[in-house]
Amino acid sequence: MVDAQARAAGNRHATAVTIGTHLFAHPWPVQILKVYVDGAGGHEIAGLALSGVKFKRPLTRAAFVDDVTEVIATAFGAARLEEVDLWCEVPLDVGKGVVVSGDYAKPAQRTVFTVTVLRGETPPSYRTRIVAGRGVYWDRTWQAQALHR
């Protein structure tokens, strides 16, 4: 699948493509920007970067949490991962001509949501944890502006 190849990164590229193939088979309302998988020996950890803007349909906080829960469960179902780190980012207005890569780079995006889930934690338990705000980061301004009540 083209999207899976184009959006895969990390030192376990083939695993990232496998996860991406599973993820991109489903039309998520939140765009999946990148699927990273890094590993050493038999250990593999995935990173999933989502866009926090331009959802394909309006999302409530509950719908966002449901989608995040399912995205993580799909990644675990696609590969023998130890952990999935998921974050949602929004672009920053850095201005024309500002350096956004290299040693003098200015950040070009801001993280507005993060969660880490270990294999063995069930989707209902990490969904409950996300809803309760335990072990997650929510940017409250983004949440209020981007997610409908």
Side-chain angles (χ1 to χ4, degrees):
M1 172 177 255
V2 174
D3 278 344
Q5 284 286 347
R7 297 182 189 187
N11 69 2
R12 298 286 172 91
H13 191 266
T15 304
V17 170
T18 298
I19 294 167
T21 299
H22 282 81
L23 289 171
F24 298 130
H26 181 80
W28 306 100
V30 177
Q31 182 184 6
I32 300 168
L33 301 173
K34 207 65 142 168
V35 176
Y36 302 86
V37 178
D38 286 312
H43 306 283
E44 290 187 327
I45 296 174
L48 306 174
L50 309 181
S51 174
V53 296
K54 298 182 183 175
F55 301 138
K56 294 174 186 147
R57 64 176 166 77
L59 287 178
T60 62
R61 184 180 191 274
F64 176 79
V65 171
D66 288 344
D67 286 340
V68 163
T69 301
E70 195 169 336
V71 165
I72 293 168
T74 300
F76 276 125
R80 296 279 316 146
L81 303 167
E82 288 182 26
E83 175 181 309
V84 173
D85 301 322
L86 181 143
W87 62 95
C88 193
E89 57 193 32
V90 297
L92 292 174
D93 183 12
V94 294
K96 188 174 180 161
V98 174
V99 176
V100 295
S101 65
D103 292 341
Y104 301 104
K106 299 290 183 198
Q109 68 272 339
R110 176 173 56 93
T111 302
V112 293
F113 174 84
T114 63
V115 65
T116 295
V117 178
L118 302 176
R119 178 171 287 285
E121 192 175 1
T122 66
S125 70
Y126 59 81
R127 185 191 187 288
T128 298
R129 184 165 61 81
I130 292 168
V131 168
R134 291 188 320 269
V136 300
Y137 167 73
W138 286 94
D139 180 288
R140 294 190 190 280
T141 302
W142 170 80
Q143 184 180 191
Q145 292 173 349
L147 304 176
H148 303 278
R149 299 252 169 222

